[in-house]
Amino acid sequence: MTAPLILGIESSCDETGIGIVRGRELLANEVASSVAEHVRFGGVVPEVASRAHLEALVPTLRRACEVADIDLNELDGIAVTAGPGLMGALVVGLTAAKALAVALNKPLYGVNHLIGHVAVDLLDHGPLPQPCAALLVSGGHTSLLHVRDITGDITEIGATIDDAAGEAYDKVARVLGLSYPGGPVIDQLAQSGNPKAIAFPRGLTAGKDQAKHRFNYSFSGLKTSVSRWVETERLAGREVPAADVAASFQEAVADVLTAKAVDACQYLGVDTLLLGGGVAANSRLRELLAERTAAAGITLRRPRPGLCTDNGAMIAVLGAEVVSAGRRPSALEIGADSGMPISTVLA
């Protein structure tokens, strides 16, 4: 059987992504970001993001087809993010995918954005050992997953109970007077700081939290601790050592993320861990997770940084896996689901 040629459309937040794959071979991955339009607001404005998707989708689609050197009529199917994400943004991508499916008479596959972050690693490293574990870290989600079958059997064993890691980065960046988005800025600033300078708390790691929150995350307390520390220094008239704050904060985040991920692998009895999501591009997280998985005898799989952020390639390859597994296409009547559960791979 020839590997399916799949177009993927991603529009869950502030990136308009169009990806084209043939099975697990990446042919095109074009992304138009509206991040610059949100900088002055210090975060994503849903209405602005939706309008940006409307303006960028067709030009991005054309670029992807040119790069892949394919005609839309050659496609075997169209995959699109059905959720989770910003409702207005999701609707733009889903509507475009439906229009293409009808016009081209091609099957439609509405897939889960978060599972796409797991599937994208197939483009770099081939088939994923199953079962395995996955740590997803992004602006809106921090989750630990047990992946038995990437096309239909995934269980979330841990998640953030308040702020996701990416949200904490953005909020700490604001406290330090840094630009949005906070993740890359803090990561860069932390390179010149001392990660042991300030003992920031590690949420949900105390013994009393093990029974209920062994695999859950909490970054709200850490964010508040950073804010109060900085405020105290400023009130005392002392200059805030921004690089040390950034490095110490980042170390606290990476420490908790990696410790719980390794613990989850050992609990589940799996020997492969996949790291995905926008924050998966963070240098300290990648470094510390590599150290700890190696020490525990766990194989770590990490997509290249360029595939960690939201993109159409991850939706396309997940769609290709779903097609190859013989899953039934989605109905044209499916709607966007901003709160799609992670256990739902295909709408």
Side-chain angles (χ1 to χ4, degrees), residues 9 29 32 40 52 69-70 73 78 86 88 116 118 134 142 150 170 214 224 257 302 322 333:
I9 301 176
N29 184 34
R40 65 192 179 100
D69 192 23
I70 63 114
N73 288 297
I78 298 163
L86 302 175
V118 178
T142 305
I150 200 169
D170 289 337
R214 180 175 176 181
T224 301
L257 286 173
R302 303 170 296 183
V322 166
E333 293 76 22

Side-chain angles (χ1 to χ4, degrees), residues 13-14 41 43 71 82 92 114 129 158 172 175 217 260-261 276 284 320 335 338:
C13 192
D14 56 358
F41 301 105
D71 184 277
V92 174
L114 297 178
V172 168
V175 168
Y217 294 104
K260 287 184 177 253
R284 182 53 182 156
S338 62

Side-chain angles (χ1 to χ4, degrees), residues 68-87:
D69 192 23
I70 63 114
D71 184 277
L72 289 173
N73 288 297
E74 299 176 51
L75 295 172
D76 294 309
I78 298 163
V80 59
T81 297
L86 302 175
M87 180 56 78

Side-chain angles (χ1 to χ4, degrees), residues 145-171:
L145 311 178
H146 188 194
V147 182
R148 300 179 189 86
D149 177 357
I150 200 169
T151 68
D153 190 358
I154 297 174
T155 304
E156 184 177 65
I157 66 167
T160 181
I161 64 172
D162 43 53
D163 289 353
E167 291 175 302
Y169 268 89
D170 289 337
K171 291 174 181 177

Side-chain angles (χ1 to χ4, degrees), residues 111-124:
V111 300
N112 192 306
H113 167 85
L114 297 178
I115 307 306
H117 279 301
V118 178
V120 75
D121 186 69
L122 299 170
L123 296 172
D124 277 346

Side-chain angles (χ1 to χ4, degrees), residues 6-11 15-21 26-32 53 56-68 70 72 75 78-80 93 96-97 100 310-316:
I6 303 296
L7 171 76
I9 301 176
E10 156 59 23
S11 69
E15 273 100 16
T16 305
I18 303 291
I20 301 174
V21 303
L26 180 59
L27 303 181
N29 184 34
E30 296 297 310
V31 178
H53 288 307
L57 203 144
V58 172
T60 309
L61 174 61
R62 285 175 176 160
R63 288 201 310 274
C65 289
E66 290 172 2
V67 171
I70 63 114
L72 289 173
L75 295 172
I78 298 163
V80 59
L100 285 170
D310 294 348
N311 61 80
M314 69 186 200
I315 302 305

